[in-house]
Amino acid sequence: MKFSEMEYTRPDIEEVKLRAEKICSDLKNADSASEAEKAFLEWDRESSHLETMMSLAYTRNTINTLDEFYEKEVEYIDEVSPLFAELDLRFTRILTESRFRPQLEEKYGTLLFKNAELQLRSFSPEIIPETQETNKLETAYQKLIASAQIDFGGEKRTVSQMQPFKQSTDNDTRRKAWLAEGEFYKENGKELDDIFDKMVVLRTKMAKKLGYDNFVALGYLQMTRNCYGPEDIDRFRKAVLKYIVPVAERLFKEQAERTGMEYPLSFADAALKFSDGNPCPSGNSDDILNTGKDLYHELSPETSEFIDTMFSCGLMDVLSKKGKAGGGYCTSFPDYKLPFIFSNFNGTSDDVEVITHEAGHAFAYYMARDIVPSSLQSPTLESCEIHSMAMEFFGWKKSKEFFGDQADKFRYSHLFDAITFIPYGTMVDHFQHIVYERPELTPEERHGIWAELLGKYMPWLRLDGSAFYGEGKGWQRQLHIYENPFYYIDYCLAQTVALEFWVLMQSDINAAWQQYMKLVRKAGTQTFTELVETAGLGSPFDEAALKTVSEAAVKWLDKNRI
Ligand SMILES: [Zn+2]
């Protein structure tokens, strides 16, 4: 089915409600396991259909924001989606309490029920007022950041428009850009502090209402942490400090030497990886797409079929055009069992990442498309990111075709980013643990904690007292800290597993691929730790995983110094 031929019809909320009520009562009053199963499958089809309609509306709206029809549909969906969520919760509750649960567990596995219980434990109608208040604060944060009019180079610019200048190879431009952006955050520091302070109070209140000591437990439930807890994360953190921070330090020392900068680096100078700029793709967007096609044709019969489907059904919209929304994402249309990739090519290495990272997500969905129920098609978020981050490394197979004579530089740069991200991401998570364990901290004390963590996790940075960043307040530009508590560690765990795949690829790419496929095939039927085991890799919660990764990285860097 071509994307252009997929049919959208507005889901009628009243009808959905009636059907949901019928399905709920069918499940409640089921006299046999097969009757219960019938209701279970019916709800799965109902929610898959709703998801397809929502996904179609959002996708078509982002492809052309000037199209009024989908603009209105998205408005409608935003309005009714909390009601759908409520119906789903009602169904979930009845499902977990069903007397035929053992039979359903026997057929569909226990994980689905375990996740459902975590979902139920993270919610109660009692916390609706605080949830609404928190949503308002999230919007306030977004608005404040979006309101930025940073005076730079004779023009007013937004935070995202400042990005290229913050990476400029011209020292003066880059340093001034960091200062100008830092000034914006500094000027709004009081409001940024207030918004976050209120969030901490509200989240703590919600946790207490649900019977938890503080927000950490609730945050974990909201992230569906079904196989690890704070103690495991604590072990991971220690391994990051022991094995990854030293390699990252080495990388930044090499960078300082290469670029002739003073070490430890200022924030602005840490952003300059190469004096002559970051590696750039050698061809145009068509070349990148064609190389992507070749990559997937060569990797395996499954990826070959996948990429041909993506192209023949028009499931990729990657070129920038008038009226198109910004950013990039991967979504799916369950009714048609097909994924979709949205992005805006910009001529940088990000374009290659679309064809590896986003396509990694899309491929995982494509492989899981026949799994019933649909909730088992995709695992928890850290595991989804393994699909994409490991695929980025499989993309090395074509680095020559993607980057021409800059292929070595690209590989070095990719490994550099993967390694150095882990300490930063782990620090973001560590910060959140402290903040929610000690909700009474003042904003000033929170800044102090961030500055202290910086010294441990990112010792290559110099707090030189310059506005905002240099004062150790940079956490306020990390959207996830405000809007998606405890999400950040997922990227670090996934990156660790992706790097374990990278280690295997160095000696035997085919074996690495077979292990990757084992993990992908399990889709959402296993937990994160089970998936890692299925792939034959070491758990990131065991320090041996990061030790192996760091040793292999050092070996590779010794041979491939740039
Ligand atoms: Zn991703």
Side-chain angles (χ1 to χ4, degrees):
M1 172 67 81
K2 281 203 163 76
F3 171 65
S4 56
E5 290 162 5
M6 293 179 188
E7 199 189 331
Y8 172 83
T9 43
R10 177 186 279 206
D12 184 326
I13 181 71
E14 291 310 317
E15 281 178 23
V16 175
K17 252 195 217 159
L18 286 177
R19 283 199 296 272
E21 261 154 43
K22 164 121 187 11
I23 296 169
C24 284
S25 88
D26 284 353
L27 179 61
K28 219 177 189 166
N29 304 321
D31 285 323
S32 64
S34 74
E35 272 179 48
E37 188 187 6
K38 202 171 149 241
F40 169 72
L41 294 175
E42 206 161 320
W43 183 247
D44 188 49
R45 272 193 299 273
E46 186 71 40
S47 36
S48 290
H49 179 64
L50 281 173
E51 203 192 310
T52 306
M53 291 307 116
M54 288 183 187
S55 202
L56 276 174
Y58 278 116
T59 306
R60 289 183 177 151
N61 175 241
T62 48
I63 288 174
N64 183 7
T65 55
L66 306 171
D67 181 331
E68 283 174 22
F69 176 79
Y70 285 108
E71 180 80 31
K72 287 222 169 62
E73 290 312 296
V74 166
E75 266 171 39
Y76 171 76
I77 283 169
D78 283 343
E79 201 185 294
V80 297
S81 58
L83 298 166
F84 294 144
E86 214 180 297
L87 293 172
D88 188 57
L89 208 68
R90 240 178 79 195
F91 176 83
T92 304
R93 196 175 297 277
I94 297 171
L95 179 68
T96 52
E97 288 162 2
S98 168
R99 65 189 165 107
F100 298 108
R101 177 170 164 172
Q103 289 90 327
L104 290 169
E105 281 185 328
E106 170 95 38
K107 184 151 178 193
Y108 298 99
T110 52
L111 183 58
L112 157 80
F113 290 89
K114 193 175 182 181
N115 289 348
E117 267 164 6
L118 297 185
Q119 191 195 348
L120 293 172
R121 275 169 51 204
S122 71
F123 180 78
S124 147
E126 264 183 287
I127 64 166
I128 290 177
E130 286 83 8
T131 309
Q132 286 166 333
E133 278 302 302
T134 313
N135 289 343
K136 274 189 208 147
L137 290 167
E138 286 175 8
T139 312
Y141 175 79
Q142 277 169 21
K143 276 205 177 139
L144 179 62
I145 303 302
S147 74
Q149 288 287 305
I150 301 162
D151 228 326
F152 192 76
E155 268 182 61
K156 304 264 188 220
R157 301 178 199 271
T158 63
V159 168
S160 61
Q161 284 166 343
M162 288 301 291
Q163 215 45 44
F165 300 106
K166 284 175 72 192
Q167 288 179 18
S168 169
T169 50
D170 179 65
N171 290 337
D172 195 45
T173 306
R174 188 183 65 257
R175 287 171 189 159
K176 279 188 177 146
W178 278 79
L179 281 179
E181 197 216 25
E183 280 298 338
F184 161 76
Y185 282 103
K186 196 182 162 113
E187 276 161 26
N188 293 285
K190 172 85 178 68
E191 200 176 340
L192 289 165
D193 280 340
D194 283 351
I195 291 175
F196 190 68
D197 202 52
K198 285 181 189 152
M199 285 177 158
V200 172
V201 170
L202 286 165
R203 287 176 180 145
T204 304
K205 203 168 158 194
M206 285 190 250
K208 293 230 154 110
K209 276 190 175 178
L210 292 174
Y212 306 109
D213 286 345
N214 57 47
F215 180 71
V216 179
L218 178 56
Y220 272 59
L221 286 175
Q222 287 178 346
M223 290 302 301
T224 325
R225 300 274 184 251
N226 53 21
C227 64
Y228 55 92
E231 337 60 66
D232 300 295
I233 296 296
D234 189 55
R235 272 204 311 283
F236 177 73
R237 245 179 238 155
K238 291 191 173 116
V240 169
L241 289 171
K242 189 166 165 191
Y243 296 109
I244 300 299
V245 170
V247 186
E249 254 182 307
R250 167 200 168 144
L251 284 164
F252 278 104
K253 273 186 189 145
E254 283 179 16
Q255 172 180 323
E257 270 169 43
R258 195 167 56 234
T259 54
M261 300 296 161
E262 186 192 338
Y263 186 91
L265 297 149
S266 69
F267 282 73
D269 291 345
L272 181 73
K273 213 184 296 163
F274 305 101
S275 301
D276 57 351
N278 290 327
C280 265
S282 55
N284 59 24
S285 31
D286 280 338
D287 298 325
I288 292 173
L289 290 171
N290 285 328
T291 302
K293 223 190 250 182
D294 293 342
L295 168 70
Y296 292 111
H297 282 158
E298 282 173 32
L299 269 177
S300 72
E302 291 87 354
T303 42
S304 183
E305 183 194 309
F306 154 74
I307 201 71
D308 288 341
T309 308
M310 295 304 282
F311 277 96
S312 65
C313 296
L315 297 167
M316 290 166 72
D317 196 303
V318 297
L319 303 179
S320 292
K321 50 189 171 246
K322 192 173 166 273
K324 194 168 167 177
Y329 60 82
C330 170
T331 186
S332 63
F333 311 118
D335 279 359
Y336 304 101
K337 300 188 177 192
L338 290 170
F340 187 92
I341 295 172
F342 174 96
S343 132
N344 284 279
F345 272 16
N346 61 10
T348 71
S349 59
D350 294 350
D351 299 356
V352 173
E353 209 178 297
V354 171
I355 210 74
T356 54
H357 184 106
E358 296 305 336
H361 286 305
F363 174 62
Y365 175 80
Y366 186 74
M367 290 306 291
R369 66 195 185 277
D370 289 322
I371 292 177
V372 175
S374 54
S375 58
L376 294 179
Q377 286 172 357
S378 96
T380 39
L381 294 171
E382 75 291 271
S383 309
C384 291
E385 290 306 317
I386 302 175
H387 301 150
S388 52
M389 287 173 156
M391 192 66 100
E392 287 183 46
F393 285 118
F394 284 110
W396 279 27
K397 213 174 150 70
K398 290 282 170 198
S399 27
K400 279 226 159 53
E401 289 80 351
F402 280 129
F403 290 94
D405 58 8
Q406 295 194 8
D408 290 338
K409 193 177 172 186
F410 160 73
R411 284 188 293 259
Y412 176 91
S413 177
H414 184 187
L415 187 66
F416 182 112
D417 290 341
I419 294 277
T420 57
F421 170 75
I422 295 176
Y424 172 70
T426 308
M427 174 174 74
V428 166
D429 183 73
H430 196 167
F431 176 72
Q432 295 182 82
H433 276 83
I434 298 174
V435 161
Y436 291 111
E437 275 160 17
R438 296 166 60 194
E440 71 287 352
L441 291 174
T442 63
E444 266 324 301
E445 287 170 328
R446 285 184 197 126
H447 293 307
I449 282 166
W450 181 259
E452 208 178 291
L453 291 174
L454 268 172
K456 266 168 74 178
Y457 286 95
M458 303 176 85
W460 51 87
L461 284 174
R462 183 171 82 234
L463 291 176
D464 59 3
S466 56
F468 186 63
Y469 292 104
E471 295 170 329
K473 296 183 175 174
W475 64 271
Q476 296 192 315
R477 62 152 289 281
Q478 188 62 60
L479 174 105
H480 296 72
I481 296 180
Y482 283 80
E483 308 208 338
N484 310 94
F486 295 111
Y487 184 2
Y488 227 60
I489 200 71
D490 290 49
Y491 295 114
C492 305
L493 297 172
Q495 190 65 273
T496 300
V497 179
L499 282 164
E500 288 187 76
F501 276 117
W502 171 82
V503 176
L504 287 176
M505 286 174 214
Q506 302 315 303
S507 54
D508 188 347
I509 187 163
N510 293 324
W513 180 257
Q514 294 312 321
Q515 287 174 248
Y516 175 78
M517 281 302 286
K518 278 188 190 165
L519 181 144
V520 166
R521 281 210 171 89
K522 289 286 175 197
T525 63
Q526 292 188 331
T527 64
F528 169 68
T529 47
E530 287 166 352
L531 286 167
V532 172
E533 208 184 313
T534 295
L537 301 172
S539 163
F541 303 124
D542 176 352
E543 70 164 24
L546 283 175
K547 184 167 185 274
T548 310
V549 163
S550 72
E551 283 167 0
V554 166
K555 213 167 118 197
W556 190 91
L557 290 167
D558 285 343
K559 265 201 282 178
N560 298 277
R561 211 178 154 156
I562 288 271

